[in-house]
């Protein structure tokens, strides 16, 4: 009896995961295979266009950092309605020369460089380094949030590239702007994260001899894989297959918050209102300075709390010209919790990410999630192809009615055959998804788009299969080590332990700076970003285009 119950549970879980995957696949093919319309917000009268503050926290030199940060300035959103803050922990950060170059190249924008060490709330005669908790990213962004202009805050990680319509389309989704009327508003909007491995590209020019070929004639074998870049292939594979399916599916059914925070937007007064209960912290993002995984927690808090009355009232006037008839006679707004932006990605280029760095990054991610979403984390290994297929095969070959009605033999050979068929189908579906997401035609291809975004990625089937198998085989060991291997994480060059209350505690003052957590790559990568510069500023337009 118990055996039959367990077998039925295995089969039910397998079918449930197949349904979730099917929802994700439908969402991806429906929402990421066509180009979107132009943003509505950008075409409104200037007085009706909301002001957006863009906060980009920076730590070290990331691959194609200049390209990623310059994308902020290429938005079609009106320049007078954008304020941009680049945030670093100190002026010794190796990314500072790149940030100064961006300020020089885009001097007509409302853009500033904010340094945590110079934050009056954290340092200096009137400040205290303990005014905030230990979360380094929150400490980095705190001043930018406090000095933000307008109601909208858009937080974009420094290693993310977005197309030129994203600011306007995120505002449309957040405020419910549509071409014909006002639609549903959202508390929080975000983008689907996708990694793009650019290890095959030369440091400076795409036509140079590549480090790794990803053309249709490339050859790659597991035995010859270099630890210096294999992690990037696995990161790309994970975000373009397994993660993308579940991320879009959960966002579609909207049963729980699901965000990784690479690119997210919300109303600052709304977050301030739901975080005002902490008398020891300023309202807003400072509320989360004791926690790690702040991006998820921000979304989670906004999801779980009702929209305050004052926010509902102000939201009825969004996108309307002051003192106009519609302004004086606002309509009641309907609200959704989280909105996932379709037809666009938050693209993260990775370059020569080592296998060790990939394993450390995935372990850190899971180790934090086991406290923020414990139930989902503890069953996550069962969503991967190898384990999930085993559950399905076990259920089909163990249940008596499967043998009686479906004529499935109750043998290990039948189990192996069913498992193999399931894994093969899973693999084929993932290959199609990878091809769509890595070569999607929905992205803008204007003159300001970097070449590594425009190019079409192709891999020989054997090469792709090797990377897919490696990703799947590593999934369970990573999960096991993250769940039972401790509570310590290394993040932004500092070591923390995570408590059951989701609060982080720094283990030592300095920590050990790792290549992956610092985002520091090679000297050649720094040169490709234009950061190794001497003398007076020079125009880096060619660097951006190459």
């Amino acid at each position: 009896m118990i055996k039959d119950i367990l077998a039925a549970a295995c089969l039910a879980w397998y079918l449930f995961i197949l349904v979730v995957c099917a929802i994700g696949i439908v969402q991806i093919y429906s929402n990421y295979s066509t180009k979107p319309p132009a943003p509505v917000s950008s075409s409104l009268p200037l007085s009706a266009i909301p002001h957006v503050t863009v906060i980009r926290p920076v730590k070290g030199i990331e691959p194609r950092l200049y390209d990623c940060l310059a994308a902020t300035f290429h938005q079609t959103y009106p320049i007078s309605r954008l304020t941009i803050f680049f945030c670093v922990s100190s002026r010794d950060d190796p990314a500072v020369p790149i940030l100064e170059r961006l300020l020089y190249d885009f001097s007509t924008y409302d853009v500033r460089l904010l340094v945590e060490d110079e934050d009056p709330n954290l340092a200096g005669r009137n400040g205290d380094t303990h005014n905030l908790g230990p979360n380094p990213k929150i400490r980095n962004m705190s001043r930018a949030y406090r000095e933000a202009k307008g109601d909208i805050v858009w937080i974009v990680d420094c290693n993310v590239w977005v197309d030129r319509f994203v600011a306007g389309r995120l505002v449309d989704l957040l405020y419910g702007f549509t071409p014909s009327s006002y639609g549903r508003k959202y508390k929080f909007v975000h983008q689907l994260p996708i990694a793009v491995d650019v290890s095959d590209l030369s440091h400076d020019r795409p036509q140079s001899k590549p480090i790794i070929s990803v053309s249709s004639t490339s050859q790659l074998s597991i035995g010859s894989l270099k630890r210096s870049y294999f992690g990037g292939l696995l990161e790309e594979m994970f975000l373009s297959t397994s993660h993308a399916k579940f991320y879009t599916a959960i966002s579609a059914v909207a049963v729980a918050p699901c965000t990784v925070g690479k690119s997210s937007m919300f109303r600052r007064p709304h977050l301030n209102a739901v975080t005002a209960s902490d008398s020891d912290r300023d309202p807003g993002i400072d509320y989360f300075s004791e926690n790690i995984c702040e991006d998820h927690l921000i979304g989670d808090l906004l999801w779980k709390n009702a929209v305050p009355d004052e926010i509902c009232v102000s939201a009825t006037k969004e996108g309307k010209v002051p003192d106009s008839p519609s302004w004086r006679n606002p309509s009641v707004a309907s609200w959704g919790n989280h909105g996932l932006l379709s037809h666009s990605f938050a693209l993260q280029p990775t370059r020569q990410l080592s296998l060790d760095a990939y394993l450390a990054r995935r372990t850190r991610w899971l180790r934090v999630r086991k406290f923020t979403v414990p139930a989902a984390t503890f069953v996550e290994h069962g969503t991967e192809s190898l384990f999930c297929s085993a559950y399905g095969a076990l259920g089909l070959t163990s249940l008596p009615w499967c043998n009686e009605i479906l004529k499935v033999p109750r043998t290990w050979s039948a189990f192996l055959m069913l498992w193999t068929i399931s894994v093969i189908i899973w693999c084929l579906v993932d290959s199609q998804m990878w091809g769509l997401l890595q070569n999607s035609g929905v992205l803008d291809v204007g003159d300001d788009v970097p070449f590594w975004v425009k190019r079409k990625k192709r891999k020989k089937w054997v090469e792709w299969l090797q990377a897919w198998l490696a990703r799947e085989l590593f999934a369970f060991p990573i999960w096991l080590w993250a769940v039972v291997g401790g509570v310590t994480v290394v993040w932004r060059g500092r070591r923390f332990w995570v408590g059951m209350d989701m609060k982080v505690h720094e283990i030592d003052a300095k920590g050990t700076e790792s290549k992956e957590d610092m985002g520091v790559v090679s000297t050649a990568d720094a040169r490709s970003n234009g950061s190794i510069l001497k003398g007076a500023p020079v125009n880096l337009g060619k660097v951006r285009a190459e």
Side-chain angles (χ1 to χ4, degrees), residues 173-486:
L173 187 60
L174 186 71
Y175 275 23
F177 296 158
T178 66
S180 58
S181 63
Y182 294 99
R184 166 174 285 197
K185 298 176 182 293
Y186 284 93
K187 303 175 183 178
F188 181 96
V189 294
H190 55 113
Q191 288 185 270
L192 175 65
I194 295 293
V196 178
D197 184 43
V198 296
S199 299
D200 58 295
L201 301 178
S202 64
H203 301 307
D204 296 307
R205 295 180 178 273
Q207 63 269 27
S208 303
K209 184 178 179 181
I211 301 170
I212 310 166
S213 173
V214 291
S215 68
S216 58
T217 59
S218 61
Q219 298 291 331
L220 186 63
S221 64
I222 291 295
S224 63
L225 285 170
K226 297 180 180 179
R227 292 168 67 88
S228 64
Y229 66 78
F230 191 37
L233 297 176
L234 300 187
E235 181 87 350
E236 176 185 286
M237 190 65 63
F238 169 65
L239 289 176
S240 297
T241 55
S242 177
H243 183 267
K245 283 182 294 189
F246 286 96
Y247 198 86
T248 53
I250 295 172
S251 296
V253 297
V255 294
C258 181
T259 175
V260 297
K262 287 293 182 182
S263 171
S264 56
M265 181 182 285
F266 52 88
R267 296 170 183 80
R268 188 164 61 113
H270 187 184
L271 184 64
N272 289 349
V274 298
T275 56
S277 59
D278 187 353
S279 59
D280 296 329
R281 302 271 188 258
D282 288 332
I285 64 172
D286 289 2
Y287 180 85
F288 305 94
S289 63
E290 299 281 355
N291 305 103
I292 203 167
C293 204
E294 71 292 326
D295 37 34
H296 171 82
L297 294 177
I298 289 172
D300 186 65
L301 188 65
L302 293 175
W303 176 290
K304 292 178 178 177
N305 284 272
V307 181
D309 292 341
E310 63 272 21
I311 303 301
C312 288
V313 172
S314 63
T316 60
K317 300 179 179 181
E318 292 171 345
K320 298 171 183 176
V321 177
D323 296 325
S324 66
S326 60
W327 172 278
R328 291 190 294 268
N329 299 287
S331 56
V332 178
S334 63
W335 290 85
N337 286 315
H338 286 189
L340 177 62
L341 186 68
S342 61
H343 305 93
S344 186
F345 312 123
L347 282 182
Q348 177 185 342
T350 63
R351 183 183 175 278
Q352 294 189 352
L353 182 68
S354 70
L355 178 58
D356 291 342
Y358 167 78
L359 297 176
R361 181 178 295 184
R362 291 286 299 123
T363 300
R364 182 185 68 212
W365 194 352
L366 282 167
R367 193 161 284 176
V368 171
R369 289 183 69 246
K370 73 181 180 182
F371 296 109
T372 56
V373 282
T377 303
F378 283 122
V379 300
E380 186 167 313
H381 68 286
T383 67
E384 303 289 356
S385 64
L386 304 185
F387 262 86
C388 192
S389 296
Y391 291 153
L394 183 63
L396 287 171
T397 55
S398 300
L399 288 172
W401 64 266
C402 289
N403 176 259
E404 296 167 1
I405 300 175
L406 301 178
K407 307 302 180 183
V408 178
R410 304 179 70 176
T411 63
W412 284 110
S413 59
F415 170 89
L416 182 61
M417 182 185 70
L418 290 170
W419 178 84
T420 303
I421 292 173
S422 177
V423 170
I424 289 174
I425 294 174
W426 207 301
C427 177
L428 292 174
V429 171
D430 278 356
S431 70
Q432 295 301 308
M433 284 186 49
W434 179 92
L436 172 66
L437 295 177
Q438 289 291 318
N439 300 290
S440 179
V442 305
L443 293 172
D444 178 32
V445 290
D447 294 337
D448 295 320
V449 178
F451 72 92
W452 55 268
V453 176
K454 295 180 181 179
R455 69 179 183 141
K456 296 293 183 180
K457 295 197 69 176
R458 297 181 179 86
K459 281 182 170 66
K460 290 192 71 172
W461 169 247
V462 173
E463 175 191 344
W464 185 92
L465 180 60
Q466 289 172 338
W468 184 85
L469 284 173
R471 212 292 303 178
E472 298 296 318
L473 290 170
F474 276 120
F476 179 72
I478 291 172
W479 175 86
L480 185 64
W481 176 243
V483 171
V484 304

Side-chain angles (χ1 to χ4, degrees), residues 31-91:
N31 296 326
Y32 298 96
S33 58
T34 57
K35 292 186 177 181
V40 175
S41 53
S42 302
S43 62
L44 294 174
L46 192 60
S47 59
I49 299 176
H51 198 100
V52 177
T53 295
V54 188
I55 301 177
R56 305 211 64 167
V58 181
K59 180 69 172 180
I61 300 176
E62 295 280 357
R64 304 293 168 183
L65 179 62
Y66 188 96
D67 288 340
C68 292
L69 296 178
T72 318
F73 301 99
H74 296 314
Q75 297 297 302
T76 59
Y77 206 75
I79 184 174
S80 62
R81 289 293 184 264
L82 277 178
T83 293
I84 302 165
F85 290 130
F86 294 131
C87 308
V88 292
S89 59
S90 75
R91 292 199 177 269

Side-chain angles (χ1 to χ4, degrees), residues 464-505:
W464 185 92
L465 180 60
Q466 289 172 338
W468 184 85
L469 284 173
R471 212 292 303 178
E472 298 296 318
L473 290 170
F474 276 120
F476 179 72
I478 291 172
W479 175 86
L480 185 64
W481 176 243
V483 171
V484 304
V487 295
T488 303
V489 297
V490 179
W491 186 41
R492 288 190 163 223
R494 295 158 65 180
R495 299 176 65 241
F496 303 91
W497 64 271
V498 188
M500 293 292 290
D501 57 359
M502 295 181 291
K503 291 187 176 181
V504 291
H505 309 268

Side-chain angles (χ1 to χ4, degrees), residues 76-188:
T76 59
Y77 206 75
I79 184 174
S80 62
R81 289 293 184 264
L82 277 178
T83 293
I84 302 165
F85 290 130
F86 294 131
C87 308
V88 292
S89 59
S90 75
R91 292 199 177 269
D92 294 330
D93 192 291
V96 167
I98 296 177
L99 302 180
E100 292 175 340
R101 181 52 50 87
L102 285 160
L103 267 62
Y104 176 81
D105 288 347
F106 299 97
S107 58
T108 58
Y109 283 74
D110 180 12
V111 55
R112 292 169 59 195
L113 172 61
L114 300 180
V115 182
E116 179 188 327
D117 288 348
E118 300 168 6
D119 184 347
N121 194 47
L122 298 175
R125 186 174 62 182
N126 298 321
D128 185 344
T129 56
H130 299 291
N131 283 352
L132 292 180
N135 184 313
K137 189 174 179 181
I138 293 294
R139 297 178 68 90
N140 187 307
M141 299 188 296
S142 176
R143 184 177 180 183
Y145 184 87
R146 297 195 311 268
E147 299 181 7
K149 299 178 182 179
D151 287 348
I152 299 179
V153 169
W154 181 21
I155 299 177
V156 194
D157 285 358
C158 69
N159 58 355
V160 165
W161 182 91
V162 294
D163 69 68
R164 58 180 174 169
F165 300 117
V166 167
R169 296 187 59 243
L170 281 173
V171 170
D172 289 353
L173 187 60
L174 186 71
Y175 275 23
F177 296 158
T178 66
S180 58
S181 63
Y182 294 99
R184 166 174 285 197
K185 298 176 182 293
Y186 284 93
K187 303 175 183 178
F188 181 96

